[in-house]
């Protein structure tokens, strides 16, 4: 469990060059944009909130854009995914990057979400899954979500269905607390695709939207735009799990 003393704070108004962040368990360095970009101020005085998730207490929407790498644009070779996460005012909230091998889309992946101070505040882990028997429990897609890293707050698990895509969101005790239901055709063109977030009694409380980004971008890159909405007063851990579900949906339906 991350201790308070390990959480770095860097003044937001100090210009910086691109900073290389090296995690102790990875041999790869990740370059994170910093400096003149406009970052959301962190809310203060939030009790019983995992450190780094304070931003979510003041938000009911997140906008996610996948960064297009020059290598992917010029050659079509897929690179490791990186995302910017902003609020509805266009302010940066988080930066996310994938640590998995870009050549194994159906294999395991690790996703790290960092805040403005370059601290990892959310960690997503998806184990290896097979493609042969997609309705066997061990073959379905799932991600385990930790906040802070090392402290599991819940999971997002795909449900075996032959019609609409479905996912269950479970808390740290394994109880299903929310559901996600997608359209019959999640890969339609020329319009946004919405996945409804439902409460335990099937009341719609939010949605995850894959936004149509134009024919050229859709055909020649894997760079996607998403938005996620949830109730402002929803528990911050549930907001984080809905946010995590966005990345699982991206991997399952749009990383091709």
């Amino acid at each position: 469990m991350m201790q308070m003393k390990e959480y770095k704070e860097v003044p937001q108004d100090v210009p910086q060059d691109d900073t290389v962040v090296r995690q102790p368990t990875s041999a790869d360095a990740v370059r994170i944009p910093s400096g003149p970009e406009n970052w959301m101020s962190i809310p203060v005085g939030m009790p019983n909130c995992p450190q780094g998730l304070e931003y979510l207490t003041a938000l009911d929407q997140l906008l996610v854009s996948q960064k297009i790498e020059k290598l992917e644009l010029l050659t079509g070779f897929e690179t490791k995914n990186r995302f910017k996460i902003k609020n509805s005012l266009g302010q940066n909230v988080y930066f996310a990057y994938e640590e998995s091998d870009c050549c194994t889309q159906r294999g395991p992946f690790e996703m790290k979400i960092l805040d403005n101070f370059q601290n990892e505040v959310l960690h997503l882990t998806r184990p290896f899954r097979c493609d042969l028997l997609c309705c066997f429990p061990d073959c379905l897609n799932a991600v385990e979500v930790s906040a802070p890293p090392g402290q599991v707050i819940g999971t997002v698990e795909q449900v075996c269905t032959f019609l609409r895509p479905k996912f269950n969101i479970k808390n740290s005790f394994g109880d299903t607390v929310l559901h996600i239901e997608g359209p019959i055709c999640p890969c339609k063109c020329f319009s946004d695709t919405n996945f409804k977030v439902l409460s335990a009694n099937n009341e719609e409380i939010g949605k995850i939207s894959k936004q149509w980004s134009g024919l050229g971008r859709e055909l020649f890159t894997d760079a996607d735009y998403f938005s996620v909405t949830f109730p402002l007063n929803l528990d911050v851990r549930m907001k984080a799990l809905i946010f995590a579900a966005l990345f699982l949906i991206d991997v399952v339906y749009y990383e091709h």
Side-chain angles (χ1 to χ4, degrees):
M1 184 173 178
M2 184 171 63
Q3 302 297 321
M4 187 75 71
K5 66 180 181 180
E6 297 176 357
Y7 194 87
K8 301 177 296 180
E9 292 195 1
V10 180
Q12 291 177 293
D13 56 352
V14 177
Q16 303 176 50
D17 296 326
D18 281 1
T19 304
V20 175
V21 177
R22 189 179 295 274
Q23 301 295 333
T25 58
S26 173
D28 296 324
V30 177
R31 192 170 293 277
I32 296 177
S34 59
E37 299 206 37
N38 183 23
W39 284 82
M40 177 182 174
S41 298
I42 185 170
V44 295
M46 300 297 172
N48 193 30
C49 177
Q51 193 156 24
L53 298 190
E54 294 91 345
Y55 298 96
L56 298 182
T57 62
L59 297 174
D60 60 2
Q61 183 181 45
L62 291 170
L63 306 175
V64 180
S65 60
Q66 187 171 348
K67 181 177 173 58
I68 301 179
E69 302 293 343
K70 292 181 180 179
L71 178 63
E72 181 178 348
L73 190 61
L74 293 174
T75 68
F77 180 79
E78 186 179 351
T79 57
K80 294 183 180 181
N81 295 325
R82 298 196 291 172
F83 302 84
K84 284 185 178 181
I85 298 94
K86 299 187 177 187
N87 60 21
S88 59
L89 299 178
Q91 298 172 318
N92 290 320
V93 182
Y94 296 117
F95 179 85
Y97 69 91
E98 185 180 343
E99 282 209 320
S100 60
D101 186 342
C102 59
C103 297
T104 57
Q105 293 176 350
R106 295 301 180 185
F109 77 71
E110 304 281 333
M111 181 77 72
K112 296 189 174 187
I113 290 88
L114 310 181
D115 67 3
N116 182 30
F117 306 124
Q118 300 166 14
N119 297 289
E120 184 183 4
V121 298
L122 271 173
H123 190 96
L124 281 57
T125 303
R126 187 188 74 161
F128 173 80
R129 57 147 290 197
C130 63
D131 288 321
L132 298 178
L133 302 170
C134 64
C135 279
F136 277 45
D138 290 341
C139 294
L140 292 172
N141 287 284
V143 291
E144 182 182 77
V145 185
S146 299
Q151 183 171 326
V152 176
I153 61 171
T155 58
V156 182
E157 301 178 7
Q158 186 180 17
V159 178
C160 180
T161 177
F162 296 100
L163 292 175
R164 297 179 181 274
K166 292 184 179 180
F167 299 84
N168 288 334
I169 294 179
K170 298 183 178 182
N171 60 21
S172 58
F173 300 103
D175 302 320
T176 300
V177 290
L178 297 172
H179 307 279
I180 297 174
E181 184 177 290
I184 293 177
C185 180
C187 299
K188 60 185 178 180
C189 299
F190 305 107
S191 62
D192 295 351
T193 304
N194 297 317
F195 292 75
K196 296 184 292 185
V197 179
L198 307 172
S199 65
N201 59 0
N202 287 324
E203 177 187 357
E204 184 174 351
I205 63 169
K207 66 180 179 180
I208 297 171
S209 297
K210 197 275 184 185
Q211 300 173 352
W212 174 253
S213 56
L215 188 61
R217 189 180 181 113
E218 296 283 346
L219 285 178
F220 299 109
T221 74
D222 282 331
D224 296 314
Y225 290 111
F226 288 90
S227 66
V228 55
T229 59
F230 31 62
L232 183 62
N233 61 351
L234 186 66
D235 180 84
V236 67
R237 294 168 181 81
M238 295 301 103
K239 290 183 180 183
L241 289 170
I242 297 171
F243 173 49
L246 180 156
F247 294 104
L248 182 59
I249 289 172
D250 181 38
V251 168
V252 173
Y253 295 108
Y254 304 112
E255 286 294 319
H256 300 295

mmCIF file of all heavy atoms in Angstrom, residues 131-175:
data_model
loop_
_atom_site.group_PDB
_atom_site.id
_atom_site.type_symbol
_atom_site.label_atom_id
_atom_site.label_comp_id
_atom_site.label_asym_id
_atom_site.label_seq_id
_atom_site.Cartn_x
_atom_site.Cartn_y
_atom_site.Cartn_z
ATOM 1 N N ASP A 131 -9.029 -17.139 -26.626
ATOM 2 C CA ASP A 131 -10.038 -16.738 -27.596
ATOM 3 C C ASP A 131 -10.866 -17.914 -28.112
ATOM 4 O O ASP A 131 -11.761 -17.724 -28.918
ATOM 5 C CB ASP A 131 -9.361 -16.068 -28.804
ATOM 6 C CG ASP A 131 -8.827 -14.685 -28.466
ATOM 7 O OD1 ASP A 131 -9.511 -13.979 -27.716
ATOM 8 O OD2 ASP A 131 -7.747 -14.339 -28.949
ATOM 9 N N LEU A 132 -10.570 -19.128 -27.644
ATOM 10 C CA LEU A 132 -11.210 -20.295 -28.229
ATOM 11 C C LEU A 132 -12.608 -20.533 -27.678
ATOM 12 O O LEU A 132 -13.551 -20.820 -28.417
ATOM 13 C CB LEU A 132 -10.341 -21.535 -27.984
ATOM 14 C CG LEU A 132 -8.946 -21.488 -28.628
ATOM 15 C CD1 LEU A 132 -8.170 -22.751 -28.258
ATOM 16 C CD2 LEU A 132 -9.049 -21.349 -30.147
ATOM 17 N N LEU A 133 -12.763 -20.432 -26.365
ATOM 18 C CA LEU A 133 -14.049 -20.719 -25.727
ATOM 19 C C LEU A 133 -14.484 -19.475 -24.963
ATOM 20 O O LEU A 133 -14.336 -19.402 -23.753
ATOM 21 C CB LEU A 133 -13.920 -21.925 -24.794
ATOM 22 C CG LEU A 133 -13.440 -23.221 -25.469
ATOM 23 C CD1 LEU A 133 -13.110 -24.273 -24.415
ATOM 24 C CD2 LEU A 133 -14.488 -23.750 -26.444
ATOM 25 N N CYS A 134 -15.020 -18.509 -25.704
ATOM 26 C CA CYS A 134 -15.205 -17.169 -25.154
ATOM 27 C C CYS A 134 -16.224 -17.111 -24.021
ATOM 28 O O CYS A 134 -16.281 -16.128 -23.298
ATOM 29 C CB CYS A 134 -15.610 -16.202 -26.261
ATOM 30 S SG CYS A 134 -17.211 -16.582 -27.010
ATOM 31 N N CYS A 135 -17.062 -18.120 -23.847
ATOM 32 C CA CYS A 135 -18.073 -18.067 -22.798
ATOM 33 C C CYS A 135 -17.694 -18.869 -21.560
ATOM 34 O O CYS A 135 -18.488 -18.994 -20.645
ATOM 35 C CB CYS A 135 -19.425 -18.517 -23.335
ATOM 36 S SG CYS A 135 -20.289 -17.214 -24.229
ATOM 37 N N PHE A 136 -16.501 -19.451 -21.548
ATOM 38 C CA PHE A 136 -16.026 -20.065 -20.321
ATOM 39 C C PHE A 136 -15.565 -18.959 -19.377
ATOM 40 O O PHE A 136 -14.902 -18.017 -19.802
ATOM 41 C CB PHE A 136 -14.879 -21.033 -20.611
ATOM 42 C CG PHE A 136 -15.361 -22.389 -21.054
ATOM 43 C CD1 PHE A 136 -16.379 -22.525 -21.997
ATOM 44 C CD2 PHE A 136 -14.797 -23.536 -20.517
ATOM 45 C CE1 PHE A 136 -16.818 -23.773 -22.392
ATOM 46 C CE2 PHE A 136 -15.242 -24.801 -20.913
ATOM 47 C CZ PHE A 136 -16.247 -24.925 -21.854
ATOM 48 N N PRO A 137 -15.872 -19.044 -18.086
ATOM 49 C CA PRO A 137 -15.519 -17.970 -17.150
ATOM 50 C C PRO A 137 -14.063 -17.549 -17.215
ATOM 51 O O PRO A 137 -13.749 -16.371 -17.134
ATOM 52 C CB PRO A 137 -15.883 -18.575 -15.786
ATOM 53 C CG PRO A 137 -16.970 -19.553 -16.096
ATOM 54 C CD PRO A 137 -16.618 -20.127 -17.441
ATOM 55 N N ASP A 138 -13.148 -18.498 -17.367
ATOM 56 C CA ASP A 138 -11.735 -18.173 -17.371
ATOM 57 C C ASP A 138 -11.302 -17.469 -18.650
ATOM 58 O O ASP A 138 -10.175 -16.975 -18.742
ATOM 59 C CB ASP A 138 -10.888 -19.433 -17.175
ATOM 60 C CG ASP A 138 -11.017 -19.980 -15.764
ATOM 61 O OD1 ASP A 138 -11.442 -19.221 -14.871
ATOM 62 O OD2 ASP A 138 -10.705 -21.166 -15.565
ATOM 63 N N CYS A 139 -12.165 -17.456 -19.671
ATOM 64 C CA CYS A 139 -11.798 -16.866 -20.948
ATOM 65 C C CYS A 139 -12.412 -15.484 -21.165
ATOM 66 O O CYS A 139 -12.146 -14.838 -22.171
ATOM 67 C CB CYS A 139 -12.211 -17.789 -22.098
ATOM 68 S SG CYS A 139 -11.289 -19.347 -22.120
ATOM 69 N N LEU A 140 -13.264 -15.059 -20.248
ATOM 70 C CA LEU A 140 -13.901 -13.759 -20.398
ATOM 71 C C LEU A 140 -12.956 -12.648 -19.965
ATOM 72 O O LEU A 140 -12.096 -12.836 -19.109
ATOM 73 C CB LEU A 140 -15.184 -13.711 -19.568
ATOM 74 C CG LEU A 140 -16.315 -14.622 -20.055
ATOM 75 C CD1 LEU A 140 -17.461 -14.627 -19.051
ATOM 76 C CD2 LEU A 140 -16.812 -14.191 -21.422
ATOM 77 N N ASN A 141 -13.137 -11.474 -20.562
ATOM 78 C CA ASN A 141 -12.300 -10.327 -20.237
ATOM 79 C C ASN A 141 -12.654 -9.761 -18.867
ATOM 80 O O ASN A 141 -13.833 -9.697 -18.487
ATOM 81 C CB ASN A 141 -12.487 -9.238 -21.287
ATOM 82 C CG ASN A 141 -11.835 -9.594 -22.600
ATOM 83 O OD1 ASN A 141 -10.628 -9.514 -22.744
ATOM 84 N ND2 ASN A 141 -12.647 -10.000 -23.570
ATOM 85 N N ALA A 142 -11.642 -9.323 -18.138
ATOM 86 C CA ALA A 142 -11.854 -8.708 -16.830
ATOM 87 C C ALA A 142 -10.642 -7.854 -16.493
ATOM 88 O O ALA A 142 -9.531 -8.113 -16.974
ATOM 89 C CB ALA A 142 -12.064 -9.770 -15.749
ATOM 90 N N VAL A 143 -10.861 -6.817 -15.700
ATOM 91 C CA VAL A 143 -9.750 -6.032 -15.175
ATOM 92 C C VAL A 143 -9.910 -5.882 -13.667
ATOM 93 O O VAL A 143 -11.031 -5.736 -13.162
ATOM 94 C CB VAL A 143 -9.645 -4.624 -15.815
ATOM 95 C CG1 VAL A 143 -9.217 -4.713 -17.256
ATOM 96 C CG2 VAL A 143 -10.938 -3.840 -15.674
ATOM 97 N N GLU A 144 -8.795 -5.952 -12.974
ATOM 98 C CA GLU A 144 -8.747 -5.683 -11.547
ATOM 99 C C GLU A 144 -8.241 -4.251 -11.364
ATOM 100 O O GLU A 144 -7.270 -3.846 -11.984
ATOM 101 C CB GLU A 144 -7.803 -6.673 -10.860
ATOM 102 C CG GLU A 144 -7.722 -6.505 -9.358
ATOM 103 C CD GLU A 144 -6.743 -7.482 -8.736
ATOM 104 O OE1 GLU A 144 -5.516 -7.234 -8.845
ATOM 105 O OE2 GLU A 144 -7.187 -8.496 -8.159
ATOM 106 N N VAL A 145 -8.916 -3.499 -10.500
ATOM 107 C CA VAL A 145 -8.621 -2.074 -10.345
ATOM 108 C C VAL A 145 -8.123 -1.814 -8.934
ATOM 109 O O VAL A 145 -8.760 -2.213 -7.949
ATOM 110 C CB VAL A 145 -9.866 -1.216 -10.634
ATOM 111 C CG1 VAL A 145 -9.516 0.274 -10.589
ATOM 112 C CG2 VAL A 145 -10.472 -1.579 -11.990
ATOM 113 N N SER A 146 -6.982 -1.131 -8.830
ATOM 114 C CA SER A 146 -6.398 -0.805 -7.533
ATOM 115 C C SER A 146 -6.251 0.704 -7.396
ATOM 116 O O SER A 146 -5.860 1.386 -8.338
ATOM 117 C CB SER A 146 -5.015 -1.455 -7.375
ATOM 118 O OG SER A 146 -5.108 -2.860 -7.449
ATOM 119 N N ALA A 147 -6.564 1.218 -6.201
ATOM 120 C CA ALA A 147 -6.392 2.639 -5.903
ATOM 121 C C ALA A 147 -6.202 2.796 -4.392
ATOM 122 O O ALA A 147 -7.155 2.584 -3.635
ATOM 123 C CB ALA A 147 -7.607 3.442 -6.368
ATOM 124 N N PRO A 148 -4.989 3.160 -3.948
ATOM 125 C CA PRO A 148 -3.774 3.304 -4.746
ATOM 126 C C PRO A 148 -3.265 1.931 -5.188
ATOM 127 O O PRO A 148 -3.821 0.903 -4.763
ATOM 128 C CB PRO A 148 -2.799 3.958 -3.762
ATOM 129 C CG PRO A 148 -3.267 3.491 -2.415
ATOM 130 C CD PRO A 148 -4.768 3.416 -2.523
ATOM 131 N N PRO A 149 -2.233 1.880 -6.050
ATOM 132 C CA PRO A 149 -1.702 0.605 -6.520
ATOM 133 C C PRO A 149 -1.408 -0.339 -5.346
ATOM 134 O O PRO A 149 -0.784 0.052 -4.367
ATOM 135 C CB PRO A 149 -0.420 0.999 -7.254
ATOM 136 C CG PRO A 149 -0.696 2.384 -7.726
ATOM 137 C CD PRO A 149 -1.524 3.031 -6.644
ATOM 138 N N GLY A 150 -1.896 -1.566 -5.485
ATOM 139 C CA GLY A 150 -1.713 -2.548 -4.421
ATOM 140 C C GLY A 150 -2.929 -2.724 -3.542
ATOM 141 O O GLY A 150 -3.016 -3.701 -2.790
ATOM 142 N N GLN A 151 -3.890 -1.804 -3.613
ATOM 143 C CA GLN A 151 -5.110 -1.902 -2.810
ATOM 144 C C GLN A 151 -6.295 -2.031 -3.758
ATOM 145 O O GLN A 151 -6.740 -1.047 -4.356
ATOM 146 C CB GLN A 151 -5.274 -0.681 -1.902
ATOM 147 C CG GLN A 151 -6.487 -0.773 -0.994
ATOM 148 C CD GLN A 151 -6.510 0.335 0.035
ATOM 149 O OE1 GLN A 151 -5.468 0.776 0.519
ATOM 150 N NE2 GLN A 151 -7.706 0.795 0.376
ATOM 151 N N VAL A 152 -6.818 -3.231 -3.903
ATOM 152 C CA VAL A 152 -7.892 -3.508 -4.863
ATOM 153 C C VAL A 152 -9.192 -2.868 -4.387
ATOM 154 O O VAL A 152 -9.607 -3.058 -3.238
ATOM 155 C CB VAL A 152 -8.084 -5.024 -5.049
ATOM 156 C CG1 VAL A 152 -9.259 -5.304 -5.979
ATOM 157 C CG2 VAL A 152 -6.804 -5.653 -5.601
ATOM 158 N N ILE A 153 -9.852 -2.116 -5.296
ATOM 159 C CA ILE A 153 -11.146 -1.512 -4.969
ATOM 160 C C ILE A 153 -12.289 -2.208 -5.708
ATOM 161 O O ILE A 153 -13.460 -1.948 -5.423
ATOM 162 C CB ILE A 153 -11.169 -0.008 -5.287
ATOM 163 C CG1 ILE A 153 -10.941 0.242 -6.783
ATOM 164 C CG2 ILE A 153 -10.166 0.740 -4.433
ATOM 165 C CD1 ILE A 153 -11.175 1.690 -7.188
ATOM 166 N N GLY A 154 -11.954 -3.086 -6.664
ATOM 167 C CA GLY A 154 -13.003 -3.801 -7.368
ATOM 168 C C GLY A 154 -12.538 -4.342 -8.701
ATOM 169 O O GLY A 154 -11.351 -4.248 -9.054
ATOM 170 N N THR A 155 -13.486 -4.906 -9.454
ATOM 171 C CA THR A 155 -13.187 -5.473 -10.761
ATOM 172 C C THR A 155 -14.288 -5.109 -11.746
ATOM 173 O O THR A 155 -15.414 -4.782 -11.360
ATOM 174 C CB THR A 155 -13.076 -7.013 -10.699
ATOM 175 O OG1 THR A 155 -14.300 -7.551 -10.192
ATOM 176 C CG2 THR A 155 -11.929 -7.443 -9.818
ATOM 177 N N VAL A 156 -13.934 -5.168 -13.028
ATOM 178 C CA VAL A 156 -14.907 -5.052 -14.116
ATOM 179 C C VAL A 156 -14.819 -6.355 -14.901
ATOM 180 O O VAL A 156 -13.737 -6.735 -15.357
ATOM 181 C CB VAL A 156 -14.607 -3.856 -15.028
ATOM 182 C CG1 VAL A 156 -15.676 -3.739 -16.114
ATOM 183 C CG2 VAL A 156 -14.499 -2.568 -14.227
ATOM 184 N N GLU A 157 -15.955 -7.057 -15.048
ATOM 185 C CA GLU A 157 -15.939 -8.391 -15.639
ATOM 186 C C GLU A 157 -16.948 -8.498 -16.769
ATOM 187 O O GLU A 157 -18.111 -8.101 -16.627
ATOM 188 C CB GLU A 157 -16.246 -9.441 -14.564
ATOM 189 C CG GLU A 157 -15.257 -9.419 -13.406
ATOM 190 C CD GLU A 157 -15.597 -10.420 -12.312
ATOM 191 O OE1 GLU A 157 -16.540 -11.225 -12.533
ATOM 192 O OE2 GLU A 157 -14.937 -10.399 -11.264
ATOM 193 N N GLN A 158 -16.504 -9.035 -17.899
ATOM 194 C CA GLN A 158 -17.386 -9.262 -19.035
ATOM 195 C C GLN A 158 -18.360 -10.397 -18.718
ATOM 196 O O GLN A 158 -18.014 -11.369 -18.052
ATOM 197 C CB GLN A 158 -16.559 -9.614 -20.267
ATOM 198 C CG GLN A 158 -17.344 -9.730 -21.557
ATOM 199 C CD GLN A 158 -16.455 -10.084 -22.736
ATOM 200 O OE1 GLN A 158 -15.333 -10.550 -22.559
ATOM 201 N NE2 GLN A 158 -16.938 -9.862 -23.945
ATOM 202 N N VAL A 159 -19.596 -10.258 -19.210
ATOM 203 C CA VAL A 159 -20.638 -11.264 -19.019
ATOM 204 C C VAL A 159 -20.837 -12.012 -20.326
ATOM 205 O O VAL A 159 -20.856 -11.406 -21.401
ATOM 206 C CB VAL A 159 -21.960 -10.620 -18.572
ATOM 207 C CG1 VAL A 159 -23.060 -11.670 -18.416
ATOM 208 C CG2 VAL A 159 -21.767 -9.851 -17.273
ATOM 209 N N CYS A 160 -20.986 -13.325 -20.244
ATOM 210 C CA CYS A 160 -21.218 -14.127 -21.441
ATOM 211 C C CYS A 160 -22.617 -13.854 -21.986
ATOM 212 O O CYS A 160 -23.621 -14.083 -21.298
ATOM 213 C CB CYS A 160 -21.070 -15.610 -21.120
ATOM 214 S SG CYS A 160 -21.342 -16.684 -22.557
ATOM 215 N N THR A 161 -22.693 -13.322 -23.187
ATOM 216 C CA THR A 161 -23.964 -13.024 -23.820
ATOM 217 C C THR A 161 -23.791 -13.075 -25.322
ATOM 218 O O THR A 161 -22.704 -12.804 -25.839
ATOM 219 C CB THR A 161 -24.486 -11.637 -23.402
ATOM 220 O OG1 THR A 161 -25.695 -11.349 -24.102
ATOM 221 C CG2 THR A 161 -23.461 -10.560 -23.703
ATOM 222 N N PHE A 162 -24.855 -13.432 -26.027
ATOM 223 C CA PHE A 162 -24.783 -13.534 -27.478
ATOM 224 C C PHE A 162 -25.487 -12.366 -28.173
ATOM 225 O O PHE A 162 -25.569 -12.327 -29.390
ATOM 226 C CB PHE A 162 -25.407 -14.859 -27.939
ATOM 227 C CG PHE A 162 -24.647 -16.053 -27.444
ATOM 228 C CD1 PHE A 162 -25.092 -16.769 -26.348
ATOM 229 C CD2 PHE A 162 -23.464 -16.443 -28.060
ATOM 230 C CE1 PHE A 162 -24.394 -17.869 -25.884
ATOM 231 C CE2 PHE A 162 -22.755 -17.539 -27.606
ATOM 232 C CZ PHE A 162 -23.221 -18.249 -26.517
ATOM 233 N N LEU A 163 -26.014 -11.416 -27.403
ATOM 234 C CA LEU A 163 -26.691 -10.258 -27.995
ATOM 235 C C LEU A 163 -25.934 -8.985 -27.629
ATOM 236 O O LEU A 163 -24.923 -8.663 -28.222
ATOM 237 C CB LEU A 163 -28.150 -10.215 -27.521
ATOM 238 C CG LEU A 163 -29.047 -11.352 -28.062
ATOM 239 C CD1 LEU A 163 -30.435 -11.278 -27.438
ATOM 240 C CD2 LEU A 163 -29.150 -11.270 -29.584
ATOM 241 N N ARG A 164 -26.414 -8.293 -26.645
ATOM 242 C CA ARG A 164 -25.787 -7.028 -26.254
ATOM 243 C C ARG A 164 -24.548 -7.278 -25.387
ATOM 244 O O ARG A 164 -24.564 -8.163 -24.530
ATOM 245 C CB ARG A 164 -26.774 -6.156 -25.483
ATOM 246 C CG ARG A 164 -27.994 -5.717 -26.278
ATOM 247 C CD ARG A 164 -28.927 -4.883 -25.414
ATOM 248 N NE ARG A 164 -30.105 -4.471 -26.163
ATOM 249 C CZ ARG A 164 -30.169 -3.385 -26.924
ATOM 250 N NH1 ARG A 164 -29.110 -2.591 -27.023
ATOM 251 N NH2 ARG A 164 -31.260 -3.074 -27.577
ATOM 252 N N PRO A 165 -23.487 -6.497 -25.587
ATOM 253 C CA PRO A 165 -22.329 -6.600 -24.690
ATOM 254 C C PRO A 165 -22.731 -6.225 -23.266
ATOM 255 O O PRO A 165 -23.473 -5.256 -23.063
ATOM 256 C CB PRO A 165 -21.349 -5.571 -25.268
ATOM 257 C CG PRO A 165 -21.818 -5.312 -26.663
ATOM 258 C CD PRO A 165 -23.295 -5.495 -26.652
ATOM 259 N N LYS A 166 -22.266 -6.998 -22.304
ATOM 260 C CA LYS A 166 -22.587 -6.721 -20.908
ATOM 261 C C LYS A 166 -21.357 -6.905 -20.038
ATOM 262 O O LYS A 166 -20.519 -7.774 -20.289
ATOM 263 C CB LYS A 166 -23.724 -7.624 -20.412
ATOM 264 C CG LYS A 166 -25.076 -7.336 -21.047
ATOM 265 C CD LYS A 166 -26.184 -8.192 -20.447
ATOM 266 C CE LYS A 166 -27.534 -7.868 -21.074
ATOM 267 N NZ LYS A 166 -28.618 -8.691 -20.487
ATOM 268 N N PHE A 167 -21.268 -6.068 -19.008
ATOM 269 C CA PHE A 167 -20.183 -6.145 -18.030
ATOM 270 C C PHE A 167 -20.776 -5.941 -16.641
ATOM 271 O O PHE A 167 -21.754 -5.201 -16.472
ATOM 272 C CB PHE A 167 -19.120 -5.065 -18.295
ATOM 273 C CG PHE A 167 -18.448 -5.173 -19.638
ATOM 274 C CD1 PHE A 167 -19.032 -4.618 -20.770
ATOM 275 C CD2 PHE A 167 -17.224 -5.814 -19.773
ATOM 276 C CE1 PHE A 167 -18.419 -4.707 -22.010
ATOM 277 C CE2 PHE A 167 -16.607 -5.909 -21.014
ATOM 278 C CZ PHE A 167 -17.209 -5.356 -22.129
ATOM 279 N N ASN A 168 -20.178 -6.586 -15.652
ATOM 280 C CA ASN A 168 -20.525 -6.369 -14.257
ATOM 281 C C ASN A 168 -19.402 -5.615 -13.566
ATOM 282 O O ASN A 168 -18.220 -5.921 -13.781
ATOM 283 C CB ASN A 168 -20.764 -7.689 -13.529
ATOM 284 C CG ASN A 168 -22.069 -8.357 -13.935
ATOM 285 O OD1 ASN A 168 -23.010 -7.686 -14.369
ATOM 286 N ND2 ASN A 168 -22.137 -9.675 -13.804
ATOM 287 N N ILE A 169 -19.774 -4.651 -12.751
ATOM 288 C CA ILE A 169 -18.805 -3.945 -11.910
ATOM 289 C C ILE A 169 -18.982 -4.452 -10.489
ATOM 290 O O ILE A 169 -20.079 -4.380 -9.924
ATOM 291 C CB ILE A 169 -19.012 -2.423 -11.982
ATOM 292 C CG1 ILE A 169 -18.689 -1.921 -13.390
ATOM 293 C CG2 ILE A 169 -18.147 -1.716 -10.937
ATOM 294 C CD1 ILE A 169 -18.881 -0.418 -13.570
ATOM 295 N N LYS A 170 -17.901 -4.985 -9.917
ATOM 296 C CA LYS A 170 -17.957 -5.575 -8.578
ATOM 297 C C LYS A 170 -17.058 -4.787 -7.621
ATOM 298 O O LYS A 170 -16.006 -4.281 -8.012
ATOM 299 C CB LYS A 170 -17.506 -7.037 -8.627
ATOM 300 C CG LYS A 170 -18.407 -7.913 -9.491
ATOM 301 C CD LYS A 170 -17.966 -9.377 -9.444
ATOM 302 C CE LYS A 170 -18.902 -10.256 -10.269
ATOM 303 N NZ LYS A 170 -18.527 -11.690 -10.199
ATOM 304 N N ASN A 171 -17.487 -4.699 -6.363
ATOM 305 C CA ASN A 171 -16.676 -4.022 -5.357
ATOM 306 C C ASN A 171 -15.580 -4.948 -4.850
ATOM 307 O O ASN A 171 -15.419 -6.069 -5.335
ATOM 308 C CB ASN A 171 -17.552 -3.498 -4.221
ATOM 309 C CG ASN A 171 -18.313 -4.613 -3.504
ATOM 310 O OD1 ASN A 171 -17.929 -5.788 -3.559
ATOM 311 N ND2 ASN A 171 -19.388 -4.255 -2.822
ATOM 312 N N SER A 172 -14.844 -4.482 -3.858
ATOM 313 C CA SER A 172 -13.697 -5.253 -3.365
ATOM 314 C C SER A 172 -14.107 -6.540 -2.667
ATOM 315 O O SER A 172 -13.273 -7.425 -2.444
ATOM 316 C CB SER A 172 -12.866 -4.393 -2.406
ATOM 317 O OG SER A 172 -13.660 -3.938 -1.314
ATOM 318 N N PHE A 173 -15.408 -6.684 -2.314
ATOM 319 C CA PHE A 173 -15.901 -7.907 -1.678
ATOM 320 C C PHE A 173 -16.446 -8.901 -2.703
ATOM 321 O O PHE A 173 -16.913 -9.980 -2.334
ATOM 322 C CB PHE A 173 -16.997 -7.563 -0.667
ATOM 323 C CG PHE A 173 -16.536 -6.642 0.430
ATOM 324 C CD1 PHE A 173 -16.886 -5.296 0.401
ATOM 325 C CD2 PHE A 173 -15.756 -7.105 1.475
ATOM 326 C CE1 PHE A 173 -16.471 -4.435 1.403
ATOM 327 C CE2 PHE A 173 -15.328 -6.251 2.481
ATOM 328 C CZ PHE A 173 -15.682 -4.910 2.438
ATOM 329 N N GLY A 174 -16.432 -8.526 -3.988
ATOM 330 C CA GLY A 174 -16.938 -9.407 -5.020
ATOM 331 C C GLY A 174 -18.418 -9.265 -5.291
ATOM 332 O O GLY A 174 -18.987 -10.065 -6.060
ATOM 333 N N ASP A 175 -19.065 -8.276 -4.683
ATOM 334 C CA ASP A 175 -20.491 -8.057 -4.902
ATOM 335 C C ASP A 175 -20.708 -7.221 -6.156
ATOM 336 O O ASP A 175 -20.027 -6.201 -6.358
ATOM 337 C CB ASP A 175 -21.120 -7.328 -3.712
ATOM 338 C CG ASP A 175 -20.928 -8.077 -2.405
ATOM 339 O OD1 ASP A 175 -21.051 -9.323 -2.425
ATOM 340 O OD2 ASP A 175 -20.651 -7.428 -1.377
#
